[in-house]
Amino acid sequence: MVACEICEAIKKPESKLYEEKNFAVILPSRPAVPGHIQLVPKEHKVILEELTNETVAFLFAKARLFLMALFEGLNCHGTNLLIMNGTAAGQSVAHIAVNLIPRFEDDGLELGWQPKRLSEEEMSTVELRLKEEATKITIVEEEKKEEKQITIEAPKKFDEEWLKQQLRRIP
Amino acid sequence: METEELIARQKQECIFCHIVAGKVGSRKIYEDERLIVILDINPANPGHMLVMPKEHYSVLPQLPEDDVARIGFVVKALSQACLKALGARGTTIFAANGIAAGQRASHFMIHIIPRHPNDNVKIMLPEEELAKEELENCTQKLKAIFSQISGMPTLQQETNSSNNPKGETKNTAVLNEVTKFLLKKGNKNGSM
């Protein structure tokens, strides 16, 4: 069995930038741009669907913090969050990763797509199918309260300064 | 112009705020008190969804942590819905913060794009060799800033505390709280 590239990266001090009990932030083996980092669960999980909704919620909350850190630490003009979930989505390593990518004006990175034209009928069909699944989503408020107690605040200086800069750049 | 003023003006002109308010029609997939999920009218693939906070925020770090966690929860559930209900073989989860990152609307959103083999949606990361020096430079900057994150243990501090087994710091206590909280939820897949 071939060892998982990301499981290996979590173990190595040269590729591991940060860690907590259950997740780590690593340098990808093939970064798209300098400063590209990956937030990964330490446990070997291949796709999002193997994680619980709560785990993904936890990872997203952490991603927020590290996106702030990219803005602050690299003075970048923007950031992308990208999860390639499954080989059909271009996932190349069998360990789920949240890619956090610092962006600069004219950095040459293209992460767009061509819109497809769908008929009203096609739109209605997917709408109905997804809606049906979406009715199963329940967020329990009691759990949310506990979550608040463990909220970890970013240093204050992250917020104000760069936020002003950011807002000026948005249409 | 002050930040508040900018935000107020953005809100007035924001099409997605009008969608949230019900003034503009949309194909709504999910809604709760904080979030709304609609179908993208210019989809990369059928079933392409936009997950948005109801409140007008421009970039993800502006959102309260609770809302971001909620988005993660809903994204995961709807990604699964794409596989189940649409027969997708994968999903692309994408967000842009700032014009330089390709952001077009001033209302923050996360895209969920159902994916199929050879569907011709080209959201790929380049894998070219990058200059070692520049990478190393970036890595040092990142390490410096990450070590400040909420005064959490840096790798260095962790090494120190392992030399001092009794030295359970405040930070470790916070981390233990996180773990306890998540375990309490009965996460059977893992302990996160």
Side-chain angles (χ1 to χ4, degrees):
Chain A
M1 202 180 120
V2 184
C4 167
E5 197 176 299
I6 288 180
C7 285
E8 289 300 311
I10 295 169
K11 290 179 205 151
K12 289 185 195 151
E14 57 269 31
S15 48
K16 178 172 62 186
L17 297 178
Y18 184 91
E19 71 176 324
E20 287 182 23
K21 191 164 181 128
N22 301 309
F23 80 93
V25 175
I26 59 164
L27 290 171
S29 60
R30 291 171 298 276
V33 290
H36 174 187
I37 52 171
Q38 290 180 323
L39 200 151
V40 297
K42 280 190 180 173
E43 203 176 347
H44 182 80
K45 297 287 182 191
V46 182
I47 54 168
L48 272 189
E49 281 65 29
E50 285 178 84
L51 304 171
T52 62
N53 295 357
E54 287 82 0
T55 303
V56 180
F58 177 78
L59 285 177
F60 268 58
K62 292 297 173 185
R64 170 181 175 272
L65 203 58
F66 284 92
L67 285 172
M68 282 184 186
L70 285 184
F71 275 113
E72 176 72 13
L74 302 177
N75 287 316
C76 54
H77 306 145
T79 53
N80 286 118
L81 176 152
L82 176 65
I83 306 173
M84 294 160 144
N85 185 33
T87 48
Q91 184 179 7
S92 56
V93 181
H95 190 130
I96 193 73
V98 182
N99 292 282
L100 304 176
I101 304 160
R103 299 295 306 272
F104 292 89
E105 273 151 42
D106 308 317
D107 61 10
L109 204 54
E110 289 282 346
L111 294 172
W113 52 83
Q114 283 297 317
K116 290 194 169 79
R117 280 175 188 274
L118 300 189
S119 66
E120 284 296 306
E121 202 189 327
E122 282 172 303
M123 285 294 270
S124 297
T125 310
V126 291
E127 181 188 356
L128 284 176
R129 286 187 187 161
L130 288 171
K131 250 185 185 165
E132 202 190 321
E133 287 298 318
T135 55
K136 296 170 192 163
I137 301 174
T138 45
I139 296 175
V140 182
E141 279 309 313
E142 224 176 30
E143 290 181 353
K144 294 284 306 166
K145 270 182 210 157
E146 286 182 57
E147 203 166 21
K148 269 182 193 138
Q149 291 173 4
I150 54 129
T151 296
I152 295 155
E153 285 295 325
K156 264 270 149 47
K157 65 168 183 171
F158 278 167
D159 293 333
E160 281 301 315
E161 274 172 41
W162 72 258
L163 197 58
K164 262 188 183 173
Q165 288 176 0
Q166 266 316 106
L167 287 168
R168 297 217 161 87
R169 292 198 185 94
I170 290 161
Chain B
M1 210 183 295
E2 286 310 305
T3 313
E4 297 81 45
E5 221 178 311
L6 267 167
I7 293 173
R9 218 176 70 180
Q10 277 186 3
K11 276 185 194 173
Q12 275 171 18
E13 293 165 2
C14 175
I15 178 85
F16 295 103
C17 283
H18 291 317
I19 287 176
V20 169
K23 289 179 195 157
V24 172
S26 65
R27 294 180 186 269
K28 211 184 291 169
I29 302 298
Y30 171 84
E31 183 176 14
D32 63 30
E33 61 268 43
R34 302 293 303 167
L35 309 179
I36 184 169
V37 182
I38 61 170
L39 283 185
D40 192 326
I41 54 167
N42 292 307
N45 261 341
H48 180 164
M49 288 175 271
L50 308 175
V51 183
M52 292 179 287
K54 283 187 167 173
E55 203 152 321
H56 186 93
Y57 297 107
S58 297
V59 290
L60 188 143
Q62 272 180 297
L63 272 72
E65 191 182 44
D66 277 1
D67 283 1
V68 180
R70 184 181 284 257
I71 287 177
F73 190 102
V74 170
V75 161
K76 155 68 205 313
L78 289 175
S79 166
Q80 203 154 3
C82 292
L83 310 192
K84 254 177 105 177
L86 305 179
R89 302 293 297 277
T91 51
T92 295
I93 316 295
F94 176 81
N97 296 300
I99 294 177
Q103 185 172 12
R104 291 189 192 146
S106 71
H107 198 116
F108 176 76
M109 60 181 70
I110 290 198
H111 299 259
I112 305 176
I113 305 171
R115 300 295 306 273
H116 305 272
N118 309 314
D119 61 8
N120 215 21
V121 177
K122 294 185 178 99
I123 308 173
M124 294 298 295
L125 293 172
E127 295 189 344
E128 291 147 39
E129 282 284 314
L130 299 169
K132 278 223 167 79
E133 207 173 307
E134 207 183 338
L135 279 174
E136 186 50 35
N137 182 14
C138 257
T139 305
Q140 290 314 320
K141 284 184 189 164
L142 290 177
K143 279 186 177 163
I145 195 83
F146 290 174
S147 69
Q148 286 177 33
I149 287 184
S150 190
M152 283 190 180
T154 59
L155 299 176
Q156 191 56 46
Q157 282 166 338
E158 267 191 359
T159 326
N160 289 345
S161 67
S162 64
N163 294 336
N164 169 20
K166 275 182 90 181
E168 198 186 53
T169 60
K170 220 176 176 181
N171 294 324
T172 348
V174 174
L175 298 183
N176 288 343
E177 278 306 303
V178 176
T179 319
K180 250 191 277 165
F181 158 69
L182 290 156
L183 282 174
K184 223 184 281 173
K185 285 184 173 177
N187 178 346
K188 291 183 189 74
N189 273 350
S191 54
M192 201 171 333

